[in-house]
């Protein structure tokens, strides 16, 4: 692309033509999405749940959260006038008295003008008489809501579709707080893409009989409200999106209390829904069925910020990385198994196949446990390769056979970035992953790996590939560069590595 102008000049030009709200500027500076979280009144314990939501959002590294607390019940609300336009997205944990007319107008203008809005749990109980708000949330409950406010919206199993039911009746109910299965009804939406088709939420209130205008509303997931626990016997909407003017709204009915917010289902859908409402896309790593489980609810303490940080790709340009390869010779490395050859050439380690050899490995003399690893690799077509992590070679195991988790390397389309359990007979640890073309054949490919506790994540050329939790793999061992054995009368093939660095984690 030809260079037209400096980024700053370009930005100024753009600003002259399209006056961005200042939130976009903030987000550009910090590369984070700016969130305004609103609370101050709620029939729920907002003093507990607001900090949890802040942890859940900020913990994943993608959001900056500010909090606007409205005056308490019975106090005058004129002073409550947040600068909505300073933010990419507003998240409501508010269920209480009406805001001032000016604040309502500013909020409508913000969302209609393209701002994001997220309604969490009892926020959809609020403002039964504010028409625009009810169109934003699509559906609401309690507060005198009835057929005058709009239809009930349910998934009907016999019709295999979402239906609108205008029969008279109150809006809003829930049964006992129990764990429940969430069923994704649209797996193509950015918020649900890559998530399992069903997963359990922790014990929470499953809202039923919500009603409202439901215009431009799209149901992403439903849950069966079981009569046995006081529910409606209907598949009730749990996650919805609404288009309001130019603005995107995400509505989650989950999140009654701290226990509900410890549910990974609540956390993941909130993180993804807030990103989508703010940007129209979701770049977070999807979490698959090995973690977001369908038999029991997966739990995660929102206070464990580190787990959240793990969702983001490590920055290979930041501080703390240690070079494993000096670019001149193989000091610090030793060969195990196999007779493939390894040589150093132009700052690269070049591995070359040998006829009749089993898999060969050039291994670090040091062991690594919890770490981030990065390298570049360029692999001949036809040669399978990989990088061992946390691997072992012991005389009493298969004659010193190298074994442990391997980050797969091969030409596209293929399994590059998948995790394979080398030498153990367990096969693939990454069971399925839609991305098969992140690797660029014939070019240098940047791999990034994070291994921490039971969890291993990989990225190939910035694209998230694997995110596995595997308690059975070894947790500490060497890093090893594999040259795979080859069939007779093929090859020789070569694979090249460079810029191999590690950053140890606690
Ligand atoms: Zn509740």
């Amino acid at each position: 692309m030809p260079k037209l102008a400096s980024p700053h000049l370009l930005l100024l030009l753009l600003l002259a033509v399209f006056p961005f709200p200042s939130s976009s500027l903030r987000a550009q500076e910090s590369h984070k999405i700016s969130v305004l979280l609103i609370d101050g009144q709620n029939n729920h314990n907002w003093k507990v749940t607001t900090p949890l939501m802040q942890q859940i959002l900020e913990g994943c590294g993608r959001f900056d959260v500010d909090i606007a607390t409205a005056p308490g019940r019975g106090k005058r609300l004129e002073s409550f006038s947040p600068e909505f336009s300073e933010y990419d997205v507003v998240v409501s944990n508010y269920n209480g008295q009406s805001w001032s007319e000016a604040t309502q107008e500013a909020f409508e203008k913000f969302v209609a003008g393209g701002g994001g809005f997220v309604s969490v749990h009892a926020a959809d109980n609020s403002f039964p008489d504010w028409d625009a708000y009810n169109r934003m949330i699509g559906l609401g409950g309690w507060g005198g809501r009835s057929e005058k406010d709009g239809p009930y919206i349910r998934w009907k199993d016999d019709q295999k579709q979402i239906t609108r039911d205008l029969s008279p009746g109150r809006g809003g109910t829930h049964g006992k707080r129990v764990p429940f299965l969430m069923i994704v009804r649209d797996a193509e939406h950015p918020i649900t893409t890559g998530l399992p088709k069903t997963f359990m939420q922790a014990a929470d209130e499953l809202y039923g009989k919500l009603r409202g205008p439901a215009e431009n509303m799209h149901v992403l997931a439903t849950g069966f409200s079981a009569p046995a626990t006081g529910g409606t016997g209907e598949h009730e909407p749990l996650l919805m999106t609404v288009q309001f003017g130019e603005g995107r709204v995400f509505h989650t009915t989950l999140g009654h209390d701290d226990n509900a917010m410890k549910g990974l289902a609540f956390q993941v859908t909130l993180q993804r829904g807030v990103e989508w409402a703010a940007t129209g896309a979701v770049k977070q790593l999807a979490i698959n069925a090995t973690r977001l489980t369908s038999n029991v609810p997966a739990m995660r303490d929102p206070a464990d910020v580190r787990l959240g940080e793990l969702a983001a790709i490590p920055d290979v340009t930041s501080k703390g990385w240690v070079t494993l390869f000096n670019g001149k010779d193989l000091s610090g490395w030793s060969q195990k198994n196999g007779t493939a050859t390894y040589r150093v050439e132009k700052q690269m380690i070049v591995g070359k196949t040998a006829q009749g050899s089993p898999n060969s490995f050039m291994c670090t003399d040091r062991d690594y446990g919890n770490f981030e690893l990065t390298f570049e690799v360029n692999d001949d077509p036809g040669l399978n390769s990989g990088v061992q992590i946390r691997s072992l070679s012991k005389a009493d195991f298969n004659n010193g056979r190298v074994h442990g988790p391997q980050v797969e390397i091969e030409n596209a389309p293929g399994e590059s970035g998948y995790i394979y359990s080398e030498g153990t007979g367990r096969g693939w640890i990454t069971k399925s992953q839609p991305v098969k073309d992140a690797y660029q054949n014939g070019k240098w490919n940047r791999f990034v790996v994070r291994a921490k506790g039971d969890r291993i994540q990989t990225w190939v050329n910035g694209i998230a590939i694997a995110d596995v939790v595997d308690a059975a793999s070894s947790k500490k061992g060497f890093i090893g560069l594999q040259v795979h054995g080859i069939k007779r009368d093929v090859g020789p093939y070569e694979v090249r590595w460079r810029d191999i660095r590690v950053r140890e984690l606690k």
Side-chain angles (χ1 to χ4, degrees):
M1 196 165 66
K3 206 166 183 184
L4 294 171
S6 79
H8 277 106
L9 187 57
L10 202 58
L11 191 60
L12 286 172
L13 284 169
L14 280 169
L15 278 168
V17 184
F18 311 103
F20 285 121
S22 54
S23 57
S24 300
L25 282 178
R26 276 177 50 138
Q28 278 177 4
E29 281 163 14
S30 68
H31 303 291
K32 287 191 181 179
I33 292 164
S34 57
V35 180
L36 183 67
L37 179 48
I38 293 179
D39 63 14
Q41 293 189 23
N42 203 318
N43 59 326
H44 295 65
N45 194 344
W46 59 269
K47 288 181 183 175
V48 166
T49 56
T50 286
L52 294 179
M53 281 196 266
Q54 183 173 19
Q55 284 173 338
I56 291 162
L57 293 173
E58 291 189 336
C60 76
R62 201 164 286 271
F63 306 98
D64 274 332
V65 179
D66 285 348
I67 294 164
T69 299
R73 190 161 280 280
K75 301 217 176 93
R76 294 178 64 85
L77 283 179
E78 276 75 8
S79 64
F80 182 65
S81 57
E83 288 291 335
F84 300 116
S85 63
E86 297 269 310
Y87 297 89
D88 297 313
V89 56
V90 171
V91 177
S92 178
N93 190 24
Y94 181 93
N95 173 23
Q97 288 167 271
S98 296
W99 298 342
S100 73
E101 259 177 48
T103 299
Q104 291 187 18
E105 260 173 47
F107 187 62
E108 288 175 29
K109 197 174 156 205
F110 166 73
V111 181
F117 175 49
V118 174
S119 172
V120 178
H121 196 61
D124 71 11
N125 300 187
S126 208
F127 309 132
D129 301 321
W130 180 4
D131 174 64
Y133 184 80
N134 283 279
R135 283 188 285 127
M136 286 179 205
I137 59 176
L139 295 173
W142 297 272
R145 286 176 172 89
S146 70
E147 61 273 15
K148 72 181 174 357
D149 297 285
Y152 297 124
I153 301 288
R154 269 89 173 246
W155 170 271
K156 294 289 183 184
D157 248 350
D158 51 350
Q159 301 173 41
K160 299 278 170 255
Q161 62 174 346
I162 300 289
T163 59
R164 301 169 76 88
D165 175 358
L166 281 155
S167 60
R170 288 180 46 189
T173 182
H174 59 76
K176 283 185 187 156
R177 289 205 294 280
V178 289
F180 50 82
L181 190 70
M182 300 176 64
I183 303 172
V184 173
R185 300 299 179 184
D186 177 4
E188 309 286 309
H189 192 276
I191 295 172
T192 48
T193 296
L195 299 184
K197 301 294 179 287
T198 61
F199 46 91
M200 288 285 274
Q201 159 64 345
D204 198 350
E205 285 173 350
L206 198 167
Y207 276 1
K209 292 191 174 177
L210 298 182
R211 54 196 322 166
E215 299 158 359
N216 308 315
M217 191 181 90
H218 184 58
V219 176
L220 300 181
T222 61
F224 183 67
S225 177
T229 50
T232 59
E234 299 279 353
H235 290 273
E236 302 283 1
L238 302 174
L239 308 177
M240 295 151 265
T241 62
V242 179
Q243 185 76 34
F244 182 83
E246 299 296 311
R248 284 174 297 269
V249 179
F250 173 64
H251 178 170
T252 174
T253 67
L254 311 179
H256 170 76
D257 61 5
D258 56 336
N259 182 72
M261 290 190 179
K262 285 174 184 164
L264 192 59
F266 172 80
Q267 296 174 17
V268 167
T269 53
L270 181 73
Q271 289 165 336
R272 299 176 71 83
V274 173
E275 181 176 354
W276 176 81
T279 69
V282 177
K283 294 182 178 170
Q284 294 166 54
L285 193 62
I287 292 190
N288 65 24
T290 58
R291 298 191 63 228
L292 199 51
T293 41
S294 291
N295 46 354
V296 289
M299 307 297 285
R300 177 171 69 177
D301 188 343
D304 194 345
V305 176
R306 271 192 226 103
L307 254 185
E309 283 171 349
L310 292 178
I313 183 168
D315 180 359
V316 300
T317 65
S318 63
K319 287 179 189 162
W321 293 91
V322 174
T323 297
L324 291 183
F325 164 53
N326 63 19
K328 294 182 226 113
D329 57 44
L330 287 167
S331 51
W333 296 80
S334 306
Q335 187 162 354
K336 295 186 200 298
N337 306 168
T339 57
T341 57
Y342 293 83
R343 67 181 191 274
V344 174
E345 191 178 288
K346 296 177 188 163
Q347 308 271 317
M348 305 180 287
I349 297 176
V350 184
K352 186 177 181 181
T353 56
Q355 284 279 0
S357 169
N359 294 348
S360 308
F361 303 90
M362 182 57 67
C363 306
T364 58
D365 295 333
R366 255 204 66 190
D367 287 346
Y368 297 89
N370 292 323
F371 58 85
E372 293 163 342
L373 170 71
T374 186
F375 55 86
E376 286 193 310
V377 63
N378 185 351
D379 183 28
D380 281 352
L383 176 58
N384 184 291
S385 180
V387 169
Q388 294 299 133
I389 58 170
R390 298 170 149 186
S391 289
L392 309 168
S393 165
K394 296 193 180 291
D396 62 357
F397 181 88
N398 242 337
N399 263 332
R401 173 74 162 88
V402 168
H403 61 284
Q406 180 189 113
V407 180
E408 175 77 358
I409 297 168
E410 62 178 302
N411 274 229
E415 277 79 41
S416 275
Y418 286 39
I419 308 298
Y420 181 76
S421 189
E422 175 77 11
T424 65
R426 294 179 56 220
W428 291 104
I429 297 171
T430 303
K431 297 297 182 200
S432 69
Q433 156 50 270
V435 182
K436 300 205 182 284
D437 56 359
Y439 188 94
Q440 295 182 20
N441 299 344
K443 296 184 176 168
W444 285 104
N445 291 271
R446 169 68 64 186
F447 278 57
V448 178
V449 179
R450 183 190 282 118
K452 178 155 190 201
D454 288 345
R455 189 174 181 189
I456 302 171
Q457 294 166 274
T458 66
W459 293 261
V460 176
N461 295 323
I463 298 165
I465 304 293
D467 183 5
V468 297
V469 175
D470 185 55
S473 284
S474 48
K475 297 293 178 292
K476 189 172 184 183
F478 52 76
I479 291 165
L481 313 179
Q482 183 198 48
V483 174
H484 205 280
I486 50 167
K487 292 189 190 127
R488 297 212 168 274
D489 306 320
V490 296
Y493 298 122
E494 291 188 339
V495 51
R496 304 148 200 92
W497 289 272
R498 69 181 186 191
D499 190 26
I500 309 167
R501 289 177 287 148
V502 72
R503 180 160 70 177
E504 290 186 84
L505 304 172
K506 289 203 177 92

